């Protein structure tokens, strides 16, 4: 089911950040499959895994085939460089960092045997320049291709893969941050902790790597980074020690309708209580990115959904599917 077309008034176009933010601003259910394309006006679920996938059930193919394809309209494509040059002129310290680009995924349900379900993420490379020039371009919709195939539809956009974490405390509360008013995207909105998996963490700055010549080694390292990065983001944004986080599982991918931003979501448990987490939040490394930490039950979480970016509202939808799956076991 295709998400409804979104007409974006000028007043709602996202502000491009003035400086580079390294975060770039996230069972019993009978359809544990990749093509669960549930939609709302604000998000689209590209992949739902309500039982949760362990690291052994998530793999990656990292290849230049999944990089962004330049748009055939030369004027539109040139706008990418023009927008970037304008930004650099205004802020010479602007940094063009790299991120993994979401291309598509391939789902394996185990074929009805005892084999575990498995998903393979197909990732390329992109950067901040292309993100600003395509996804955050006022003409972002012009970069889209009229296709029901999500990979084709978004082939001309940067589509950096973000990540988000649904973190449950020992007293069954979920962690939600309120974003700072100084961030580039969705200031003041509610979000789950998260950011992006980082190519630099596994030694990748391009597809021409010298040290990592074995593609299997590279794919394994990138796959592990999907899980390592989300723990790292929670530690840096919330302030909890990594040893307190456990049972991390991958629960799916949500794409925001506005600017077609994809985010991989994970669920994990924290051995600390909500009160203990609140005390640690004051010392978090990246607490400047948010103004407040909320620890809330699911019912309150649903009341916050309307003030979440679409991709994070999709993350909430993925979590609710997981909760329903557990109930039905």
């Amino acid at each position: 089911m295709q998400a409804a077309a979104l007409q974006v008034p000028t007043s709602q176009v996202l502000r491009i950040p003035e400086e580079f933010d390294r975060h770039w601003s996230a069972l019993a259910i009978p359809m544990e499959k990749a093509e669960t394309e549930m939609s709302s006006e604000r998000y689209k679920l590209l992949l739902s895994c309500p039982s949760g996938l362990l690291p052994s059930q998530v793999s990656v193919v990292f290849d230049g085939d999944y990089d962004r394809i330049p748009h055939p309209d030369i004027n539109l494509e040139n706008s990418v460089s023009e927008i970037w040059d304008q930004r650099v002129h205004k802020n010479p310290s602007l940094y063009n960092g790299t991120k993994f680009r979401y291309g598509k995924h391939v789902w394996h349900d185990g074929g009805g045997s005892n084999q575990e379900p498995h998903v393979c993420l197909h990732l390329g490379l992109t950067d901040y320049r292309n993100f600003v020039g395509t996804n955050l371009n006022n003409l972002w919709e012009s970069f889209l291709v009229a296709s029901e195939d999500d990979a084709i539809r978004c082939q001309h956009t940067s589509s950096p893969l973000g990540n988000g974490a649904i973190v449950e405390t020992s007293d069954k509360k979920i962690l939600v941050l309120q974003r700072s008013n100084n961030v580039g995207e969705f200031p003041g909105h509610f979000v789950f902790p998260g950011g992006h998996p980082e190519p630099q963490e596994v030694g990748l700055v391009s597809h021409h790597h010298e040290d990592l010549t074995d593609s299997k080694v590279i794919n394994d390292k990138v796959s592990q980074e999907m899980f390592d990065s989300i723990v790292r983001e929670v530690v840096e944004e919330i302030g909890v020690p990594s040893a307190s986080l456990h049972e991390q599982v991958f629960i799916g991918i949500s794409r925001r309708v506005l600017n077609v931003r994809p985010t991989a979501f994970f669920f994990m448990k924290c051995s600390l209580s909500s009160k203990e987490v609140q005390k640690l939040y004051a010392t978090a490394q990246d607490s400047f990115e948010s103004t407040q930490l909320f620890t809330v039950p699911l019912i309150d979480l649903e009341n916050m959904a309307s003030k979440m970016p679409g991709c994070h509202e999709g993350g909430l939808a993925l979590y609710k599917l997981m909760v329903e799956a557990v109930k039905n076991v």
Side-chain angles (χ1 to χ4, degrees):
M1 177 177 172
Q2 186 68 36
L6 183 64
Q7 300 300 319
V8 184
T10 303
S11 63
Q12 294 181 16
V13 172
L14 296 182
R15 293 185 296 109
I16 298 174
E18 287 294 330
E19 60 185 1
F20 179 72
D21 170 6
R22 70 179 180 80
H23 287 298
W24 293 18
S25 15
L27 287 169
I29 288 183
M31 53 179 192
E32 169 116 342
K33 54 185 291 188
E35 286 67 34
T36 310
E37 294 192 348
M38 297 175 60
S39 301
S40 79
E41 291 185 354
R42 302 181 66 234
Y43 66 85
K44 178 180 180 181
L45 299 188
L46 303 181
L47 170 63
S48 174
C49 310
S51 64
L53 300 185
L54 297 169
S56 61
Q57 295 172 274
V58 180
S59 63
V60 166
V61 172
F62 174 71
D63 195 279
D65 288 346
Y66 308 115
D67 288 0
R68 183 180 85 87
I69 298 174
H71 199 282
D73 182 330
I74 190 64
N75 291 325
L76 185 62
E77 185 61 26
N78 285 343
S79 73
V80 176
S81 295
E82 291 166 1
I83 290 172
W84 179 250
D85 290 344
Q86 291 169 9
R87 304 314 298 176
V88 172
H89 180 73
K90 291 180 179 179
N91 183 4
S93 65
L94 201 61
Y95 172 62
N96 186 26
T98 58
K99 290 290 182 285
F100 290 111
R101 179 181 184 275
Y102 174 72
K104 62 179 183 178
H105 62 264
V106 177
W107 175 258
H108 305 279
D109 62 7
S113 65
N114 293 327
Q115 198 171 13
E116 293 181 324
H118 179 273
V119 68
C120 181
L121 305 178
H122 292 192
L123 305 179
L125 269 184
T126 189
D127 55 29
Y128 189 55
R129 170 183 171 276
N130 278 281
F131 172 58
V132 169
T134 60
N135 293 85
L136 293 189
N137 192 321
N138 287 352
L139 301 175
W140 64 272
E141 289 173 297
S142 299
F143 283 91
L144 303 181
V145 176
S147 174
E148 292 296 317
D149 185 323
D150 182 77
I152 295 174
R153 181 172 180 263
C154 298
Q155 65 185 6
H156 302 306
T157 64
S158 172
S159 295
L161 182 63
N163 60 21
I166 315 296
V167 183
E168 181 184 86
T169 63
S170 62
D171 51 343
K172 306 298 182 183
K173 301 292 179 61
I174 301 298
L175 307 184
V176 180
L177 294 165
Q178 185 166 27
R179 286 173 65 78
S180 165
N181 290 321
N182 298 320
V183 296
E185 290 187 87
F186 292 96
H189 282 62
F190 298 123
V191 294
F192 298 109
H196 297 80
E198 300 290 350
Q200 295 89 339
E201 289 290 330
V202 292
L204 295 173
V205 293
S206 72
H207 289 290
H208 305 290
H209 27 264
E210 297 178 0
D211 297 331
L212 299 174
T213 55
D214 184 344
S215 62
K216 185 181 185 305
V217 171
I218 295 171
N219 291 338
D220 289 347
K221 285 180 177 289
V222 176
S223 178
Q224 186 59 46
E225 170 62 7
M226 296 297 112
F227 284 84
D228 290 347
S229 62
I230 193 58
V231 171
R232 193 167 61 240
E233 297 290 356
V234 173
V235 169
E236 293 174 357
E237 294 188 1
I238 304 298
V240 297
S242 59
S244 71
L245 303 172
H246 55 100
E247 298 183 38
Q248 296 92 351
V249 291
F250 172 72
I251 60 173
I253 300 174
S254 166
R255 190 187 285 281
R256 190 172 77 213
V257 171
L258 178 65
N259 305 106
V260 290
R261 277 279 255 145
T263 303
F265 279 91
F266 298 78
F267 172 80
M268 67 184 72
K269 293 185 178 182
C270 179
S271 59
L272 304 174
S273 69
S274 54
K275 288 185 178 180
E276 291 173 318
V277 172
Q278 284 284 8
K279 290 179 182 178
L280 291 169
Y281 171 64
T283 64
Q285 176 181 324
D286 290 348
S287 60
F288 64 91
E289 295 180 1
S290 60
T291 58
Q292 193 170 353
L293 171 66
F294 297 86
T295 56
V296 298
L298 178 57
I299 187 170
D300 290 345
L301 202 55
E302 292 175 334
N303 295 333
M304 293 175 157
S306 64
K307 204 180 177 186
M308 287 182 170
C311 46
H312 282 249
E313 186 178 1
L316 172 56
L318 291 169
Y319 172 57
K320 289 166 68 177
L321 288 171
M322 188 196 80
V323 171
E324 287 302 313
V326 172
K327 285 181 182 178
N328 292 330
V329 171

